[in-house]
Amino acid sequence: MTLSMSACEAAPAPKTGLSGLAESWRSDILAGFLVFLIALPLCLGIAMASGFPPQAGIITAIVGGLLVSRINGSFVTIAGPAAGLIVVILDSVQELGAGDAMAGYRYTLAAIVFAGVLQVAMGLMKAGKMSAFFPSSAVHGMLAAIGIIIIAKQFHVMLGVKPDAQTLFETIGAIPASLRDMNPEVAIIGFCGLAILAAWTLVSGTKLAAIPAPLIVVLVGMALAKYFDLEDEHKYLFLPNAVFLPHHEFTIGPKFLVTLPQNFLAGFAFPDFHRAGEVAFWRQVFTIALVGSLESLLSAAAVDKLDPFKRTSDLNRDVAAVGLGNMLCGFIGGLPMIAEIVRSSANVNNGARTGWSNFFHGLFLLVFVALFPKLIHEIPLASLAALLVFTGYRLASPREFQKTLAIGWDQLAVFVITIVGVLATDLLIGVAIGVVAELLFHFWRSIHWRDVILLTRSIEEKEPGVYHVQVAGAAFFGNYLALKGDLATIPAGRTVIFDLSETSTVDHTVMENLHHFCEDYRGKGGFAEIRGLDQLVAASSHPLAPRKRAA
């Protein structure tokens, strides 16, 4: 069996820097404006869901646009706050604050500063390839668990109810009670937002799809807020003659709207380093740095595949740039940032050519929040919660389970084990449980202990321009980093032949990474081919399924 990637030519890449601005400013301004429309409500919602003030998300997007876009190693990614870090930051605010939300906020800002320092160090130490170490199913399990947690917490906000729950499982269990006790007018705003987002998935490829769905959700929510008079606190009766309702009187008012300082500078806050000597503080630092870096690396690599000019990001420089951005955000009151996949995809789809689109998106946000804070105050919290509930659903949708099962039942097992581990403990421990589970499956496939660290491989140019990559023994996530480093030394535009005939087992993570290498190599005008898979038995019919030598 042979997997091959033939050569193809990409369009000439645009210039970068000031010359790139002069060449591409028209398309980048338009893309940046459209991304700004998507980013504004998401930044507000992510900040509030994280236990931060709403403006914190805007601050992060502005720093990501104006600063990080000028020093990062990518081309069309958008740096800003992401739903994937909500769980990490909220946990930090609650643990470090011990019931004091403002203290937790300021302690977490200090943790973000140190996490940024770690990320800069990781970039300088060439840690951009570390994402290859983590099993794909464990990473996707982590993201699915994050999605479940977001849904569990934001669903109550969407209904206008504050649940009486202390733990995550209590929060999940309180959903039926919140449905029973929901504030009807708030819930109408929230469910309308969900309906719009669901409907927009059905109009892809039409002219209507060019309008950002989050913008429509916010505009409809603002219109309903005006109709229900959320600006003024008052009581109202809902279906007073319906005997099946537990009660009919509800209160509505400005507390269901976004609160933002009238003066932009008043929204800045500063870190408190008093807990920097405690173990709990440093656990949050390492969690923010690790999860943020991992998500950012995965997003940047995914966006490279969307880039019509087939450019490849410098992931080490990207991690360092995000780290610098996070240091600044921590000092002035912002959330941590990553290379965010949803906004980056919209950036590419709307014609972005260079990093200046990221810059313009940040500039538009700065101008808008500085000049129109009262307009932002009219956005209902239920609309923002609906955006996050939908985002959580996409991370943990049944399709994700189906896609993982298609690769193999063992991958589904790792996926589910990681989800349960994250929900029962925290992100770091949950991912570690997933990694251990994947490792145990490899030992079950008869991997020898000596193969855990060392992968037998060689790269030889057997004829001019033709590189043969021989891999032997067990090829799996735990030892793939060495091969990935070797592959980086092969010049672009050549022919690369992978020979896996001497391997005893190849896991899904290695199959996926080799497949991605072939795709990227093709984008640079080369040719790549994988041979020797015929002698291995796949766990499923999926082309990237793990494989084991027949007994």
Side-chain angles (χ1 to χ4, degrees):
M1 180 179 179
T2 298
L3 295 180
S4 64
M5 302 286 174
S6 58
C8 71
E9 294 296 328
K15 298 175 183 176
T16 58
L18 292 176
S19 57
L21 174 63
E23 179 185 76
S24 305
W25 67 270
R26 290 178 180 84
S27 57
D28 284 344
I29 282 182
L30 177 59
F33 179 73
L34 293 172
V35 172
F36 147 72
L37 295 177
I38 297 171
L40 177 64
L42 290 175
C43 290
L44 294 170
I46 290 167
M48 299 186 70
S50 302
F52 272 39
Q55 189 167 312
I58 304 291
I59 290 172
T60 301
I62 291 171
V63 172
L66 301 187
L67 171 66
V68 175
S69 72
R70 301 297 83 227
I71 59 176
N72 64 358
S74 56
F75 300 93
V76 286
T77 57
I78 298 295
L85 286 176
I86 288 176
V87 176
V88 177
I89 301 304
L90 182 60
D91 179 67
S92 177
V93 171
Q94 292 175 338
E95 181 176 0
L96 298 181
D100 187 336
M102 181 52 68
Y105 169 43
R106 296 185 63 207
Y107 290 137
T108 300
L109 291 178
I112 292 170
V113 171
F114 282 114
V117 173
L118 283 180
Q119 288 176 309
V120 171
M122 289 162 63
L124 294 176
M125 292 188 295
K126 310 296 183 185
K129 60 184 180 181
M130 75 169 188
S131 60
F133 172 78
F134 294 92
S136 298
S137 296
V139 172
H140 292 137
M142 176 193 75
L143 295 175
I146 288 172
I148 292 170
I149 295 171
I150 291 171
I151 293 172
K153 292 182 177 293
Q154 290 301 303
F155 199 75
H156 302 284
V157 178
M158 198 181 80
L159 299 176
V161 177
K162 186 175 178 59
D164 183 17
Q166 302 300 319
T167 68
L168 173 62
F169 290 107
E170 288 177 355
T171 303
I172 295 173
I175 289 177
S178 291
L179 284 168
R180 180 195 64 205
D181 300 329
M182 65 183 176
N183 191 315
E185 291 184 353
V186 175
I188 287 171
I189 295 173
F191 282 121
C192 281
L194 272 186
I196 291 168
L197 292 166
W200 239 246
T201 63
L202 305 176
V203 299
S204 58
T206 67
K207 291 182 179 179
L208 196 60
I211 306 172
L215 176 63
I216 303 299
V217 170
V218 167
L219 291 177
V220 170
M222 291 171 70
L224 289 171
K226 282 289 186 185
Y227 179 76
F228 293 136
D229 194 21
L230 262 66
E231 285 279 6
D232 300 310
E233 184 167 337
H234 63 277
K235 294 182 179 180
Y236 70 96
L237 293 177
F238 183 75
L239 299 179
N241 298 321
V243 295
F244 61 87
L245 290 177
H247 53 89
H248 306 280
E249 186 176 273
F250 300 89
T251 301
I252 203 164
K255 69 178 182 179
F256 294 105
L257 298 173
V258 173
T259 302
L260 209 65
Q262 290 298 310
N263 180 1
F264 176 63
L265 294 179
F268 288 93
F270 305 99
D272 185 338
F273 293 96
H274 279 94
R275 297 197 63 176
E278 300 178 17
V279 173
F281 177 86
W282 284 99
R283 184 170 66 247
Q284 298 299 339
V285 170
F286 283 111
T287 303
I288 294 168
L290 179 62
V291 176
S293 299
L294 185 57
E295 286 196 48
S296 197
L297 289 169
L298 294 171
S299 296
V303 174
D304 280 351
K305 300 182 190 312
L306 302 176
D307 186 357
F309 301 103
K310 305 299 180 185
R311 293 166 290 190
T312 301
S313 298
D314 182 341
L315 297 180
N316 297 312
R317 183 173 174 179
D318 225 44
V319 170
V322 166
L324 283 173
N326 284 338
M327 289 170 62
L328 178 57
C329 287
F331 275 119
I332 62 176
L335 285 163
M337 71 181 69
I338 68 167
E340 207 281 327
I341 184 65
V342 175
R343 275 157 269 167
S344 298
S345 300
N347 191 40
V348 174
N349 293 336
N350 286 296
R353 292 168 58 86
T354 73
W356 285 104
S357 59
N358 190 3
F359 177 89
F360 287 123
H361 125 273
L363 184 61
F364 284 125
L365 280 168
L366 174 61
V367 171
F368 189 86
V369 76
L371 299 182
F372 306 108
K374 192 175 186 309
L375 194 59
I376 294 176
H377 174 62
E378 296 177 9
I379 299 175
L381 299 180
S383 294
L384 302 181
L387 290 173
L388 293 176
V389 167
F390 191 75
T391 300
Y393 172 77
R394 291 177 65 177
L395 289 172
S397 70
R399 183 181 301 175
E400 294 301 317
F401 288 80
Q402 292 174 341
K403 283 164 56 178
T404 308
L405 177 59
I407 299 169
W409 69 267
D410 57 332
Q411 297 303 301
L412 179 64
V414 172
F415 181 78
V416 173
I417 288 170
T418 305
I419 291 175
V420 174
V422 171
L423 296 180
T425 57
D426 60 35
L427 279 172
L428 277 186
I429 296 175
V431 172
I433 290 171
V435 170
V436 171
E438 177 81 4
L439 197 57
L440 291 176
F441 276 114
H442 284 297
F443 287 128
W444 174 74
R445 292 194 189 101
S446 302
I447 286 184
H448 295 292
W449 283 101
R450 64 175 179 271
D451 292 328
V452 171
I453 302 299
L454 183 62
L455 175 66
T456 304
R457 79 264 180 210
S458 64
I459 298 179
E460 184 180 352
E461 187 176 9
K462 292 192 173 181
E463 52 187 284
V466 180
Y467 290 81
H468 286 254
V469 182
Q470 182 76 44
V471 182
F476 78 115
F477 74 94
N479 56 29
Y480 176 72
L481 282 180
L483 176 59
K484 184 172 183 177
D486 292 344
L487 294 178
T489 64
I490 299 177
R494 307 293 197 273
T495 295
V496 179
I497 306 296
F498 289 95
D499 185 357
L500 305 183
S501 61
E502 297 299 319
T503 55
S504 58
T505 182
V506 183
D507 80 346
H508 166 62
T509 302
V510 173
M511 287 297 301
E512 187 176 55
N513 276 279
L514 292 181
H515 176 73
H516 289 164
F517 174 87
C518 291
E519 282 188 331
D520 295 341
Y521 203 75
R522 174 188 61 183
K524 298 174 184 176
F527 176 88
E529 185 174 75
I530 301 175
R531 297 175 180 172
L533 297 178
D534 299 38
Q535 302 180 40
L536 302 172
V537 178
S540 72
S541 59
H542 194 282
L544 303 182
R547 288 161 163 78
K548 178 183 176 182
R549 183 171 295 280

